[in-house]
Each structure stands twice: as C-alpha cells, then as structure tokens.
Amino acid sequence: IVPAMGVGVYVFGFRALLLTLISVAFSVFFEWGYRKLMKKDSTIGDLSAVITGILIAFCMPANAPYWLPIPGAFFAIIVVKQLYGGIGKNFLNPALAARAALLLSWPALMTTWAKPFSYSSLFNFAGDAVTSATPMASLQQGILPAATLNQMFLGYTGGSLGEVSALALLAGGIYLLLRKIISARIPLSYLLTVAVLTFLFPKGGNGHLQWMLYNLLGGGLMLGAIFMATDYTTSPVTTRGQIIYGVGCGLLTVFIRAFGSYPEGVSYSILIMNVCVWLIDKYTLPRRFGVSRADLKAQKAKAKEEKRQAKAEAKLLAAAAAEAEKEAESVTEEAEAVGEAEAATEEAEEA
C-alpha cells in the first residue's frame, strides 16, 4: 500500500494523506467502540481496521470533504464487519461496501475528481478543488482519454487517490506475492479476463491493443485486482475457485463498464462475486486423495438411500404413534363408559 499512498500524496498533495489518516482513525475508533460496547475483546491490535481505513480512503477522490470517510468507516466496520462477528466472518469486502454506500449516498462528492498537481489547501474542509475528468469517463463513451498511457501508468491523471498509479500498485502487488501474502491466481485471472475481452471487443473503432491497455491502466482495476479481490475472508479458498472468482470479476467489470450507466465496474463486480464465494467453494472442493469419482457417486447414492430410509422409518413411526394414540383414546372411552356404568349401578342400589 505504501507506494500507492506515496504517489497519491505526490500527485494530489498532503490533503490526500490527511484524508487517509482521518479514515484510519475513525475505522479504528469504531472497531474499538463497538467491541467495548458489546463487552468483547479488543481486536484493534490485528490492524485490520487500519487497512480498511486506508482502502476506504484509496477509493475516494482526494478533494473529498474531511467528514466523508466517517460514515464510510462506520458502514465498513460496524455494519459490514462487526455485526457479522468481526474479522473472518464478513461476507463482503468492508472497504468496497463502504465505497458503494458512499457512492449511493453522495454521488456528486464521490465523482468529483481533483486535478493532478492542483494541491488544494489542507484547511479546505469543504473539499472544493480544481477538478478534471477521469480516463474512465472517456472510455465509457468509446473515446480514448486525453492522458497518455505513460501518464496513466505513472499516475499523473484524475481518479481516486489510491488508484491512479498502476506502477505503484503493481510494485505493491509484487511485494505481496514475494512475501506469499497473496496468490497470483485471483489478480492474474481477473486482469487477463479484462485484457482478453477488451482486446477482442474495442469500442468506438479504436485499436485493439490501445483499447486494452487503457482499460487495464484506467480506473480502479489494479487496486481492485491486487488489494480488494484477494481479501482472505471474501475470496474462495480452493485453487479452481480462485480462478473462477477472478474470471467472474473480470467479466462483470467489463460488462458494467461497457453497458452500465456508471463508467467504473470494479467495486460492484467484486462485491457481486463476494456473495458467490460460498457457492464457488462448495462446487470446487477437491476430492480426497485416493477417492475416485465413482466412489463419490457411490457415497452420494448411499447417503441418498439412507435419507430415503430415514424418511420411511419416520413415516412408520408417525403412523405407529397415531395408531397408539387412537388405541389410548379408545381405552379411555371404555374406562369412562365402565365408570359411568358403575356409577349408575351404585345409584340403583341406593334407590
């Protein structure tokens, strides 16, 4: 994350750093406060709230008002993470869910981009600044952006403060791969899917290679593929599942960019695939060593037969219970009749 943060500060000024610090501070505060209120052990020491706060800021324009990360941090930490049990139990990426919530609530603030090297004042709390269009706005219309590929690769273009530099994000991704913190399967399958589709189907009569490169370097694709889609909790655990997950993210990203009303589709594509993770894991679990497909079919058939037999036994038990209940009722009626007869006899004798 450090290289992307460094480029964000260099391109947009120290206001980007202050916005990130506010996001981190309130993310940690909300996690601490919730755990304290619920009388649970504090988990701020695992630094997951810090990472979430940084990623929330990375998904925001550098000229956003200082208060905007606060509701985002609340939604990410309290609603998406803690209400489902805390780290490891959330089924959505907290930072992306917060971005989606902020985009729906304050679309104008979340789509007003600071112009690179405009360096708005640190004390400009409202967040106004010299604005510019992002490359994705041009690509949505089938037009190549004014920015060159070199500018987009280095980060000298408009966009969210953490997504602009593909070089910095790739550097961070390579570091994570070398440290074996993430696997290459999800980022590669994600990026390759986007690359293939945009190469085969360019818009506006643009060149195949040029259109592909602009789509790979534009928007939050690198940030999403490397830092968001690889989240342990919200991504599959199986090898085949991770590849399917990455391909699904790539397909949805291209479809949303091409046919959606919003020019960027990374966040929504990852969130949609987050919801499908349990299904992907269910159908991509590897077979145990030494177990063939025939063995699995036999096990399923045996389980199905046992279930059928259990249902049949349950029906028999229910029928037996009903019959016993009827017999008990008849015995009760007979006893009542005998009692009434005895009472009548006693009355007759007394008379």
Side-chain angles (χ1 to χ4, degrees):
I1 293 177
V2 174
M5 185 74 254
V7 173
V9 174
Y10 173 67
V11 173
F12 299 112
F14 282 100
R15 196 176 194 286
L17 179 60
L18 184 55
L19 195 70
T20 303
L21 293 176
I22 293 171
S23 179
V24 170
F26 276 93
S27 295
V28 173
F29 171 75
F30 286 133
E31 179 151 327
W32 171 83
Y34 179 87
R35 306 289 294 189
K36 188 78 172 177
L37 185 65
M38 295 291 105
K39 295 181 172 54
K40 297 181 179 181
D41 294 335
S42 176
T43 55
I44 60 175
D46 60 20
L47 302 181
S48 62
V50 174
I51 300 299
T52 299
I54 294 174
L55 293 177
I56 291 172
F58 273 21
C59 295
M60 299 174 63
N63 57 327
Y66 288 138
W67 59 263
L68 193 57
I70 300 174
F74 177 86
F75 189 81
I77 298 298
I78 303 297
V79 178
V80 178
K81 183 179 176 184
Q82 291 299 331
L83 289 182
Y84 287 92
I87 187 170
K89 297 181 176 65
N90 53 287
F91 67 94
L92 293 177
N93 184 290
L96 285 181
R99 182 186 188 279
L102 292 175
L103 186 60
L104 290 172
S105 303
W106 295 281
L109 295 177
M110 288 293 291
T111 54
T112 302
W113 313 104
K115 186 177 181 180
F117 305 107
S118 60
Y119 296 153
S120 59
S121 171
L122 281 174
F123 304 103
N124 188 356
F125 295 95
D128 296 331
V130 179
T131 59
S132 66
T134 65
M136 296 312 302
S138 300
L139 291 174
Q140 187 189 29
Q141 300 172 9
I143 306 170
L144 293 180
T148 65
L149 289 172
N150 285 336
Q151 288 175 325
M152 293 179 65
F153 184 68
L154 296 174
Y156 302 162
T157 183
S160 298
L161 70 89
E163 72 180 21
V164 291
S165 175
L167 174 62
L169 293 168
L170 286 171
I174 291 171
Y175 174 79
L176 294 177
L177 288 171
L178 292 176
R179 292 292 303 272
K180 300 186 184 302
I181 296 173
I182 64 171
S183 166
R185 287 185 286 270
I186 292 175
L188 282 181
S189 58
Y190 193 164
L191 295 173
L192 283 174
T193 301
V194 174
V196 170
L197 288 177
T198 51
F199 181 83
L200 293 176
F201 307 104
K203 288 177 67 176
N206 293 290
H208 293 265
L209 182 61
Q210 211 173 17
W211 184 257
M212 179 193 74
L213 292 175
Y214 270 106
N215 272 276
L216 286 176
L217 299 178
L221 182 60
M222 292 292 177
L223 177 63
I226 297 171
F227 293 98
M228 304 290 197
T230 54
D231 176 42
Y232 295 148
T233 307
T234 56
S235 61
V237 296
T238 64
T239 300
R240 284 189 301 159
Q242 290 175 354
I243 296 173
I244 294 171
Y245 175 80
V247 171
C249 288
L251 288 170
L252 288 171
T253 297
V254 174
F255 290 161
I256 294 173
R257 284 182 174 184
F259 306 110
S261 58
Y262 184 62
E264 181 57 287
V266 172
S267 58
Y268 292 112
S269 66
I270 295 175
L271 289 173
I272 292 171
M273 292 305 296
N274 285 165
V275 180
C276 301
V277 165
W278 70 272
L279 189 64
I280 295 173
D281 276 337
K282 178 180 179 180
Y283 288 101
T284 56
L285 284 174
R287 298 195 304 274
R288 295 191 305 274
F289 181 75
V291 178
S292 65
R293 293 186 183 275
D295 294 333
L296 290 176
K297 287 183 179 179
Q299 289 176 4
K300 289 181 179 179
K302 183 180 178 181
K304 190 175 180 180
E305 180 63 22
E306 289 176 351
K307 188 176 180 180
R308 188 189 64 77
Q309 290 178 357
K311 285 184 177 180
E313 290 176 359
K315 287 182 179 179
L316 290 175
L317 290 173
E323 186 67 26
E325 187 177 354
K326 287 181 180 179
E327 290 179 359
E329 288 177 356
S330 63
V331 169
T332 302
E333 290 175 356
E334 289 177 1
E336 289 177 353
V338 170
E340 290 175 357
E342 290 178 352
T345 303
E346 289 178 358
E347 289 177 358
E349 290 177 352
E350 289 177 359

